[in-house]
Amino acid sequence: MKADISRRRFLATGVAMGAACGGLFSEGLSESRLAKKPRRRGVSLSGAEFGVRPDFSNRNLGQFGKDYTYNSEKTVAYFARQGVKHLRVPFRWERMQPSLGGELDATELGRLREFVGWARKHDCRVILDPHNYGRYALEIDGKAKDCVIDESVEGHVRVTRDHFADFWLRLSAVFADEPAVEAYGLVNEPHDMGSSDWKAISQAAVDAIRSRGDGKWIFVPGESWSNSDRFREINGPKAWVRDPLGRTGYEAHCYFDHDYSGRYEKSYDEELKRDPELEQRGAKRIGQFVEWCQTNKVRGLLGEFGVPPDPRWLQVLRNFLQALDRAGLLGCYWAAGEWWGRYPLSIQPEGADKGQPQLEVLVAERDGH
């Protein structure tokens, strides 16, 4: 269902720096190299994770075209023309695999494959993003229940790391040889995992993907909403995944409002009173994540960031992007998508390909321009 909603309200309802690899990331760049290097810019194309109401579950998935969408080829072509060719594609695990441990749903998988085909046609690359927060919405005794992976629910562990690994094994079997799929993002923003061990859960998923010879890049999100500013504090000092191919990186998210939520409920002036260095807030907030990646010699992805269209927030975004470029990280803006309506962070064009001001900053070719 189309809706004009804040990011966090939407989410709450359900929603290294080493050698270069296929254009996805590079080593940290010197100022002289940065001036010659095109920026790597991506965007999350929302829609397939929409329509998650309180009664959403693996038995109540909503209706395609009414509750959720995968967007159209026109949107893919638009962002390709703008030079935004990395497309992070959120979708729901429950729709893709309605029965835990069962086959992927052929119809839902077909929609995703069609989207990936459009990306290939327009020379874009896709990052697959099960938008599930370390959970699976399961129908139990006729009622929808968000079940944290490996956490006991009503006396039973309903969703296990083996289920999660099985899902990725099946999805990998479909996309391992698809050149337009550049990377897998294991899951969006795991948080409040209780006694569950996210590090062990993510290792199981990586093991499953590698077990069948899939060599694609895998990006593992940090716990607690993947907060970049507290990445080391939350996730510990060391990278945890053992990957025989050495092609696992880590994902963090960064919003610039005072509570990190992306709601931007306070005005810029109110935020500035709290923080006189507000213009540099975004650049500072990725510092810990960048340092963590460099120390651990792993790749990093800034999977989400975004601002309202106020020119002053745009300067915060500009400073953030310059810091991202200096670190050599790809960033995927949140968000675009044909159903966002008046959502203030959206960079979806408004008719006749009229671009949003945030997009102009995102695609600028040189620092300061």
Side-chain angles (χ1 to χ4, degrees):
M1 182 178 295
K2 298 182 183 181
D4 300 326
I5 45 183
S6 77
R7 173 183 176 272
R8 282 300 179 198
R9 190 170 299 117
F10 166 69
L11 296 182
T13 60
V15 321
M17 315 303 157
C21 102
L24 191 69
F25 298 92
S26 75
E27 68 276 14
L29 303 177
S30 67
E31 293 297 329
S32 61
R33 291 191 64 202
L34 178 60
K36 300 175 183 178
K37 187 92 172 175
R39 295 174 171 181
R40 289 168 302 284
R41 296 287 182 261
V43 65
S44 292
L45 285 185
S46 288
E49 82 283 31
F50 277 32
V52 181
R53 302 176 299 272
D55 59 348
F56 174 86
S57 75
N58 64 323
R59 294 291 178 263
N60 186 18
L61 298 169
Q63 182 179 335
F64 179 74
K66 178 182 178 182
D67 299 301
Y68 70 102
T69 182
Y70 276 88
N71 296 294
S72 68
E73 183 180 357
K74 181 179 178 180
T75 285
V76 175
Y78 172 78
F79 285 104
R81 289 196 301 273
Q82 309 309 312
V84 181
K85 293 197 171 188
H86 299 276
L87 308 178
R88 180 173 177 259
V89 183
F91 59 92
R92 289 294 299 206
W93 177 6
E94 298 88 348
R95 289 174 176 144
M96 197 63 64
Q97 190 183 38
S99 295
L100 289 168
E103 298 291 331
L104 301 184
D105 182 84
T107 301
E108 192 71 9
L109 181 60
R111 292 169 182 142
L112 180 57
R113 294 182 77 165
E114 181 179 45
F115 182 92
V116 170
W118 294 334
R120 186 190 327 113
K121 177 180 175 181
H122 294 282
D123 193 30
C124 293
R125 297 294 178 265
V126 171
I127 301 170
L128 299 180
D129 167 42
H131 220 71
N132 276 73
Y133 311 95
R135 290 152 167 74
Y136 184 97
L138 192 65
E139 184 180 284
I140 302 174
D141 297 329
K143 296 182 179 180
K145 183 70 176 180
D146 263 358
C147 299
V148 173
I149 300 169
D150 278 355
E151 187 80 350
S152 179
V153 177
E154 299 179 1
H156 302 281
V157 178
R158 313 282 183 152
V159 181
T160 69
R161 71 186 69 174
D162 290 338
H163 289 135
F164 188 54
D166 172 80
F167 168 70
W168 269 113
L169 184 68
R170 294 175 188 273
L171 202 63
S172 165
V174 176
F175 291 107
D177 298 322
E178 170 54 66
V181 173
E182 196 162 30
Y184 306 137
L186 283 188
V187 76
N188 184 69
E189 294 183 346
H191 67 90
D192 298 300
M193 299 288 287
S195 61
S196 295
D197 184 346
W198 170 241
K199 293 180 179 179
I201 294 166
S202 53
Q203 181 69 60
V206 172
D207 289 345
I209 293 167
R210 295 293 183 243
S211 72
R212 58 172 315 280
D214 189 337
K216 288 194 186 296
W217 274 93
I218 303 168
F219 286 90
V220 179
E223 253 259 49
S224 192
W225 306 96
S226 305
N227 185 313
S228 65
D229 195 33
R230 300 175 56 222
F231 200 89
R232 182 179 59 247
E233 173 188 343
I234 293 166
N235 299 287
K238 294 183 179 181
W240 60 90
V241 171
R242 300 177 305 280
D243 179 356
L245 301 184
R247 293 173 68 82
T248 293
Y250 295 82
E251 179 179 346
H253 295 177
C254 185
Y255 291 91
F256 312 145
D257 45 351
H258 73 282
D259 61 359
Y260 302 87
S261 69
R263 288 192 297 259
Y264 293 92
E265 292 178 332
K266 296 184 181 296
S267 70
Y268 187 91
D269 289 329
E270 290 174 312
E271 292 274 11
L272 187 61
K273 287 181 181 178
R274 297 169 63 101
D275 181 6
E277 298 182 357
L278 180 57
E279 274 196 7
Q280 296 298 327
R281 181 184 282 174
K284 291 178 179 178
R285 283 186 175 179
I286 62 167
Q288 186 177 124
F289 179 62
V290 169
E291 181 183 358
W292 188 91
C293 289
Q294 291 172 337
T295 299
N296 284 282
K297 297 181 172 60
V298 294
R299 301 282 173 94
L301 166 67
L302 255 295
E304 289 185 16
F305 58 89
V307 295
D310 184 314
R312 297 170 296 178
W313 280 119
L314 295 181
Q315 185 57 46
V316 180
L317 175 61
R318 189 173 292 111
N319 294 339
F320 166 84
L321 290 171
Q322 291 173 7
L324 205 63
D325 291 338
R326 286 192 292 271
L329 271 65
L330 169 69
C332 290
Y333 185 92
W334 183 274
E338 294 160 14
W339 284 13
W340 271 121
R342 294 188 300 274
Y343 175 53
L345 274 60
S346 174
I347 57 172
Q348 186 71 20
E350 293 181 349
D353 284 3
K354 179 183 177 183
Q356 302 290 357
Q358 300 100 316
L359 180 61
E360 296 177 12
V361 176
L362 190 69
V363 300
E365 289 299 325
R366 293 289 181 264
D367 288 347
H369 292 271

